[in-house]
Amino acid sequence: MNDSPDCPLVGVAATYMPRLSEFSFEPGLVAAVDQHAAAVCDALIPAQRGPRDRIPGPRTVRREELADYVLGFTDWLAEVDWVEPVAHDFATLRLTAVCWLIREYDLLGA
């Protein structure tokens, strides 16, 4: 279902995954994306499974939850008529962080 071309993660990965290659050239980008990835995880995980300190074991990100998050986020971007800048802004950092999570948790893997 979510590995279909209609899955919002596929489009985000196609567009923003190449930005991860900028990590070696921009150390500050790594920190910014890490903070955004943590914020996305915090938005997904506590709402689904309770406070962080009560979750046994490592935190995980589920493809369906991240896809729902991306749909909401990109809908909001469309509502505000967001246009991708050349540099990094909040939205590009957030979408790059989503790509990092996709890669880290192998959410589009077989």
Side-chain angles (χ1 to χ4, degrees):
M1 175 172 102
N2 280 324
D3 53 355
S4 73
D6 293 335
C7 176
L9 299 181
V10 173
V12 168
T15 304
Y16 294 94
M17 194 68 77
R19 288 185 178 255
L20 297 179
S21 66
E22 298 173 24
F23 281 6
S24 59
F25 304 110
E26 296 185 45
L29 180 60
V30 176
V33 169
D34 183 59
Q35 289 176 345
H36 279 269
V40 170
C41 287
D42 287 346
L44 298 177
I45 293 170
Q48 301 298 320
R49 296 181 206 111
R52 187 179 193 179
D53 57 357
R54 289 190 283 177
I55 300 171
R59 297 171 13 150
T60 60
V61 174
R62 295 183 183 139
R63 182 171 49 191
E64 295 79 13
E65 294 169 348
L66 189 58
D68 288 344
Y69 177 89
V70 166
L71 278 176
F73 188 70
T74 54
D75 284 350
W76 174 75
L77 291 175
E79 287 175 19
V80 299
D81 294 324
W82 176 76
V83 177
E84 182 179 355
V86 173
H88 300 286
D89 67 351
F90 178 88
T92 58
L93 289 170
R94 187 57 57 109
L95 293 168
T96 303
V98 165
C99 289
W100 185 85
L101 292 169
I102 290 168
R103 185 182 70 183
E104 185 70 15
Y105 292 96
D106 193 25
L107 298 179
L108 294 178

